Amino acid sequence: MISPPGPEAQASEGVAAEGAATGPAIGLLVNPVAGLGARVALKGSDGAQVQARARELGAVPAATGRAAQALVELTARLPPGTAAPRLLTAAGAMGEDAAHAAGLSAQCVHDPGPGPTTAADTARAVAALLAAGARLLLFAGGDGTARDVLDAMPGGLHAPAVEAAGTTEEAVGTTASPRTDAADGSPVRPRDGSGRLGVPVVGIPAGVKMHSAVFGVHPRAAGQAAAAWIAGRAGVKDAEVMDRDEEALRAGRVVTRLYGWLPVPDEPVRIQQRKTGSSAPDPDAVAGIAAGLAERVGAGALVVLGPGTTTRAVAAALGAHDATLAGVDVLRVESAGPRPAARVVLADARADQLLLQPDPWIALSPIGGQGFLLGRGNQQVSPGLLRATGRERLAVLATETKLAALGGRPLLVDTGDPVLDEELSGYVRVITGRRSTAMHLLSP
């Protein structure tokens, strides 16, 4: 049952004392290896070989800690008088460890047994949680885990298969609402016997580059969204599950397709938007941003350049045509004059390698549609590096078109360090061209 530890666990905080739970049962599922490859530049964590390589490079699992953050926030955000929910989970690293880390007790309804967990374990755990009566499912992982959860959900709604092709950044397939396909516009989404859209889910972001619209903007937001649903303050809507090709990503291509939809609490501030496809940015705008960046940092400066189509185009405009699309590179600016230039001195760097760079700048561009500046696909830019460089050496790069597409929503940060996220928040100057900038809000 969800209740704070110790004798002070009373209903005054909106959570009933242990043994008095009368609210809905919620399920917790953790992918223990989610995000394992993030800080070591492996572009994902799928596959035993990738996971083994990540550990060789010193990667430390973070999913359990991020799930615990969500649980703590969920407990704190339940309004006074809200019936306490029961917490159901899987044994060990698949959920029980996170519950204990959050100081909560839980009922284990599935034991994956010894050894590494797989997608089959995820399916069995989802089935066990639903069979035990879970009315809301929290899962910690990335897009791959979201896909596995969708596959395991009875009546899960999958998108028609679309063949992915191409060599740049793409979003393949439609994301139209699955509930208005009938000729008369009536909902056609599979519902349970009570007419609901099925068991809602909330993704706790713990993967590498999460494109799906089922995750909280950070672990605490996931807990807040779950608490809102439990308290009856949030409805449910369908949200896209996106499937990214990790092999293509490691080869320098970002190929994402719509995989299906999952029901999530309707909390647009707390649940992230999906990643939108990126077309090649306007060459003139990119050239202006490249010149603006070089001018700001100065000749001789080292620049840690984040991933994405905008940043790669900026590197190319500076003459660094060998910059990677999906990795974090280090560039040295050789000229900041009328003809700015730079070269790659370290490609596809790991977090530990970036910490060795002397006095670097950090240049990042937000993810299209989502607005994430930190915490999605660029975890190599670690809290340690950000603290060492300082906010004043953070350069944000975006075309005016990309900023306008956010519709006034803030740029988002999810570094894994909530205190640092708050320190980074506030208005930041975005380089949109040569001697052209715009102020935009940066928010956790």
Side-chain angles (χ1 to χ4, degrees), residues 254-277:
V254 180
V255 179
T256 306
R257 70 181 180 93
L258 176 66
Y259 192 76
W261 295 266
L262 281 169
V264 301
D266 191 1
E267 286 281 296
V269 174
R270 297 183 173 99
I271 301 295
Q272 71 180 36
Q273 304 290 313
R274 71 175 181 88
K275 164 77 168 72
T276 58

Side-chain angles (χ1 to χ4, degrees), residues 409-433:
R409 289 182 286 113
L411 302 177
L412 300 172
V413 294
D414 178 19
T415 66
D417 182 336
V419 174
L420 178 60
D421 291 347
E422 291 292 342
E423 292 173 352
L424 291 171
S425 65
Y427 280 90
V428 64
R429 191 175 300 278
V430 181
I431 299 173
T432 58

Side-chain angles (χ1 to χ4, degrees), residues 146 149-151 153 155-160 173-179 181 189-190 197 199 201 213-214 237-242 258-264 274:
V149 168
L150 172 58
D151 288 343
M153 296 287 275
L157 188 60
H158 291 78
T174 178
T175 56
S177 169
R179 299 175 51 216
D181 291 339
R189 175 72 160 86
L197 286 175
V199 173
V201 308
V214 300
K237 67 174 184 178
D238 283 305
E240 301 95 337
V241 174
M242 308 300 288
L258 176 66
Y259 192 76
W261 295 266
L262 281 169
V264 301
R274 71 175 181 88

Side-chain angles (χ1 to χ4, degrees), residues 108-135:
C108 291
V109 299
H110 173 70
D111 187 348
T117 59
T118 65
D121 291 303
T122 298
R124 287 190 284 267
V126 170
L129 291 167
L130 295 179
R135 296 284 302 280

Side-chain angles (χ1 to χ4, degrees), residues 220-249:
R220 302 178 310 288
Q224 293 162 13
W229 181 86
I230 292 168
R233 298 182 305 188
V236 176
K237 67 174 184 178
D238 283 305
E240 301 95 337
V241 174
M242 308 300 288
D243 186 28
R244 189 194 61 213
D245 186 335
E246 287 191 359
E247 289 299 323
L249 190 63

